[in-house]
Amino acid sequence: MNKVTLRRFRPGDEYAVSDLICKTLAVSNRKDYPPEFIKENISSHSPEVIAAKASICIRGSCRSAAGSALKNFGIK
């Protein structure tokens, strides 16, 4: 079994995170949603948007579900 390592988001990660989210949205939603919806949803997850959202969390005011999940794993 592969070992998974969790770490905090670092500047520069926004490209890989955006790519992962966009590919996942495109693949997992294609049977349920029209292409226009998927394209719009993907455009709202650009590296710039991811970096902006991450900067809010890095400054300590993250209120997202992901932030809560990381706290459950002991990541502050």
Side-chain angles (χ1 to χ4, degrees):
M1 177 179 252
N2 292 334
K3 184 178 179 179
V4 175
T5 302
L6 295 177
R7 65 167 174 79
R8 287 187 164 278
F9 181 93
R10 293 185 278 211
D13 287 344
E14 63 269 20
Y15 300 99
V17 171
S18 174
D19 188 53
L20 176 64
I21 292 170
C22 293
K23 284 180 181 177
T24 301
L25 288 171
V27 171
S28 64
N29 292 319
R30 70 176 164 217
K31 292 181 182 177
D32 300 315
Y33 297 98
E36 301 81 26
F37 175 83
I38 295 171
K39 185 176 179 181
E40 185 175 325
N41 200 346
I42 285 173
S43 69
S44 68
H45 291 87
S46 68
E48 295 78 17
V49 171
I50 299 299
K53 289 181 179 182
S55 71
I56 292 169
C57 290
I58 289 170
R59 290 193 309 261
S61 61
C62 185
R63 305 252 190 282
S64 70
S68 297
L70 290 176
K71 287 179 185 174
N72 290 338
F73 282 103
I75 300 172
K76 298 178 183 179

